[in-house]
Amino acid sequence: MIPLTLTATLRSPMHLGATNTAGNFLASLSYLPGRSLLGAVAWAWIDAGGDPGAPEFAHRFVSGAVSWGDLHPVPVKEETGAAVDGEPLVVPRTIKVCKLSGLRHGLVDVLLTTPPPEACPLCGVGLDRLEGVLVGDHDGRWLSPELHRQHRAHVSIAFDTGTARSGDLYSRDVLEEGQVFRGQIHCSDEPTAKAILDELPRLRLAVGGARSRGFGQIEVQVKRATASTLEVLREQSERVAQSPADVWYFTLTAVSPWCVRETDGSHARSLTPRRLARVLGVEEANARIVRGDARSESRSGWDGAAGLPTELRHVIVAGSTFLCAVRGLDGPTLQARLLRLSGRGIGEHRAEGLGRVAVNHPLHFISAEANRDE
């Protein structure tokens, strides 16, 4: 797996349809899904003269050799207004913050602590789950991005007359231009990685809805993931704990939605010992989910090429996290398999960025003191 870091800057407002739309209000997602990015790049590649029937097209966009990850918002520096350099990290569902002071009182993880804390260790106020993403800065602090949104009012147009449709007023939730989003593309081979590095910044990309109105124009920059990013993957896979009974403990976190099929064809609602054993190559009796926090939901979308809705998928949402235990493997073998899992992912539709896995997510190991205001 060859990771590339993609940074996208909005050059016009962007609307990405969300499922919580109600009435005449069209809500927008707060991130750019990998599926939308994949579709935008594929269409731009065709518009630039690429042949959709060529093997190269299938290799990049269909085969799974390239995984187009979600792009998440990046916070800006207070001094300059420029985007910070770090990679956005999806926050595990077991990370909580003080209800009163938020990040100023640091992060509290309730997955690895027994019994789990119920109040802020600094002030005693209750805890709230922290959702979204965090980005680390050079000072070792974790920053939460702030999205800038607008509500744009529109009138529907009757296509038969070309005039406003009577009584059909609606508003659209849009993300303001100028904001920066970042994520990773995973390539299976070096030639594909080189081609994406060379070609992607030159493509004219448009993402989301209302593109005919000029919405969704993005400018992208692609670079190889830093050596530190690769080292973190390796260190996280090695950061496992062994008990006297030769049981290895580690955490797995969904950093993008997981679409996992059970043996009967249904969608899994959570990570099961059977699936854990399968991805690590051990007997089911040697794999255990100690505890975790997971949520699942149904999702659908629109296939622009087919002009049809996509299949209804039931996914394990990003941020779901699990404390796992495995026996029957030596340390180096387990570390190698966890590293492979973090690169390949889990479940279906990995070309669209689904199935991304973080092994021993760093936020599990940060104490409340690490992020506290002095």
Side-chain angles (χ1 to χ4, degrees), residues 9 12 37 43 73 135 143 145 148 167 192 207 228 236 239 244 250 256 261-262 266 273 283 294 298 302 350 365 373:
T9 304
S12 67
L37 176 64
W43 279 113
V135 181
L143 307 175
H148 299 282
T192 301
V207 183
S228 60
Q236 289 172 353
R239 195 173 185 176
F250 53 91
S256 69
R261 296 273 188 182
E262 300 285 15
S266 64
E283 298 291 332
S298 296
W302 186 260
R350 281 174 276 180
F365 305 94
D373 275 351

Side-chain angles (χ1 to χ4, degrees), residues 267-287:
H267 289 102
R269 266 55 172 177
S270 184
L271 181 65
T272 62
R274 175 179 296 179
R275 175 63 59 170
L276 177 63
R278 181 177 176 182
V279 298
L280 293 179
V282 300
E283 298 291 332
E284 185 176 346
N286 291 335

Side-chain angles (χ1 to χ4, degrees), residues 1-4 89 184-186 225-240 255 334-345 356-362:
M1 183 270 291
I2 302 170
L4 306 177
L89 292 178
Q184 284 197 351
I185 305 169
H186 292 171
T226 61
S228 60
T229 301
L230 300 176
E231 291 167 4
V232 165
L233 284 175
R234 196 165 290 110
E235 290 172 2
Q236 289 172 353
S237 69
E238 294 172 354
R239 195 173 185 176
V240 294
V255 291
L334 177 60
Q335 291 162 9
R337 293 182 184 182
L338 289 174
L339 182 60
R340 182 179 63 182
L341 175 62
S342 66
R344 294 180 57 186
R356 297 280 178 95
V357 181
V359 178
N360 290 330
H361 197 295

Side-chain angles (χ1 to χ4, degrees), residues 42-83:
W43 279 113
W45 190 79
I46 293 172
D47 290 342
D51 179 7
E56 183 182 6
F57 181 89
H59 180 73
R60 293 187 186 184
F61 305 113
V62 181
S63 69
V66 181
S67 173
W68 301 84
D70 298 339
L71 305 184
H72 293 280
V74 178
V76 298
K77 302 174 184 177
E78 293 183 0
E79 309 81 27
T80 64

Side-chain angles (χ1 to χ4, degrees), residues 75-360:
V76 298
K77 302 174 184 177
E78 293 183 0
E79 309 81 27
T80 64
V84 300
D85 296 328
E87 295 268 354
L89 292 178
V90 173
V91 178
R93 288 178 56 82
T94 56
I95 298 296
K96 298 188 177 184
V97 294
C98 175
K99 285 186 175 182
L100 183 62
S101 300
L103 278 173
R104 289 180 298 163
H105 278 190
L107 307 173
V108 178
D109 179 62
V110 299
L111 181 68
L112 303 183
T113 307
T114 306
E118 298 181 355
C120 173
L122 300 180
C123 67
V125 174
L127 299 172
D128 270 341
R129 176 180 290 123
L130 179 64
E131 298 182 347
V133 298
L134 292 178
V135 181
D137 66 5
H138 293 299
D139 297 326
R141 300 178 61 81
W142 294 95
L143 307 175
S144 178
E146 180 180 353
L147 275 176
H148 299 282
R149 299 175 178 267
Q150 293 180 352
H151 289 174
R152 300 280 186 93
H154 301 278
V155 175
S156 293
I157 301 298
F159 292 105
D160 54 342
T161 63
T163 60
R165 184 173 290 147
S166 177
D168 201 348
L169 177 69
Y170 66 95
S171 61
R172 191 190 304 272
D173 177 28
V174 300
L175 306 180
E176 294 181 10
E177 61 185 289
Q179 300 183 87
V180 177
F181 292 73
R182 187 174 294 138
Q184 284 197 351
I185 305 169
H186 292 171
C187 303
S188 63
D189 58 89
E190 182 61 28
T192 301
K194 287 183 177 179
I196 290 176
L197 283 166
D198 179 54
E199 298 174 15
L200 189 55
R202 300 202 302 261
L203 296 178
R204 183 176 180 179
L205 301 181
V207 183
R211 294 190 300 275
S212 62
R213 300 173 183 259
F215 282 32
Q217 304 294 319
I218 62 174
E219 178 183 319
V220 300
Q221 296 177 334
V222 191
K223 64 179 182 179
R224 293 185 183 273
T226 61
S228 60
T229 301
L230 300 176
E231 291 167 4
V232 165
L233 284 175
R234 196 165 290 110
E235 290 172 2
Q236 289 172 353
S237 69
E238 294 172 354
R239 195 173 185 176
V240 294
Q242 186 179 25
S243 74
D246 293 327
V247 180
W248 296 93
Y249 292 90
F250 53 91
T251 68
L252 297 180
T253 301
V255 291
S256 69
W258 294 355
C259 183
V260 179
R261 296 273 188 182
E262 300 285 15
T263 54
D264 62 359
S266 64
H267 289 102
R269 266 55 172 177
S270 184
L271 181 65
T272 62
R274 175 179 296 179
R275 175 63 59 170
L276 177 63
R278 181 177 176 182
V279 298
L280 293 179
V282 300
E283 298 291 332
E284 185 176 346
N286 291 335
R288 182 165 62 98
I289 308 298
V290 180
R291 56 182 173 269
D293 189 334
R295 185 172 70 85
S296 62
E297 65 182 20
S298 296
R299 291 188 179 180
S300 185
W302 186 260
D303 187 333
L308 296 169
T310 60
E311 75 167 320
L312 185 65
R313 304 170 183 171
H314 205 90
V315 299
I316 302 168
V317 302
S320 298
T321 189
F322 309 90
L323 175 61
C324 308
V326 168
R327 67 170 74 235
L329 293 176
D330 58 73
T333 300
L334 177 60
Q335 291 162 9
R337 293 182 184 182
L338 289 174
L339 182 60
R340 182 179 63 182
L341 175 62
S342 66
R344 294 180 57 186
I346 185 173
E348 301 177 344
H349 307 293
R350 281 174 276 180
E352 302 171 15
L354 271 64
R356 297 280 178 95
V357 181
V359 178
N360 290 330

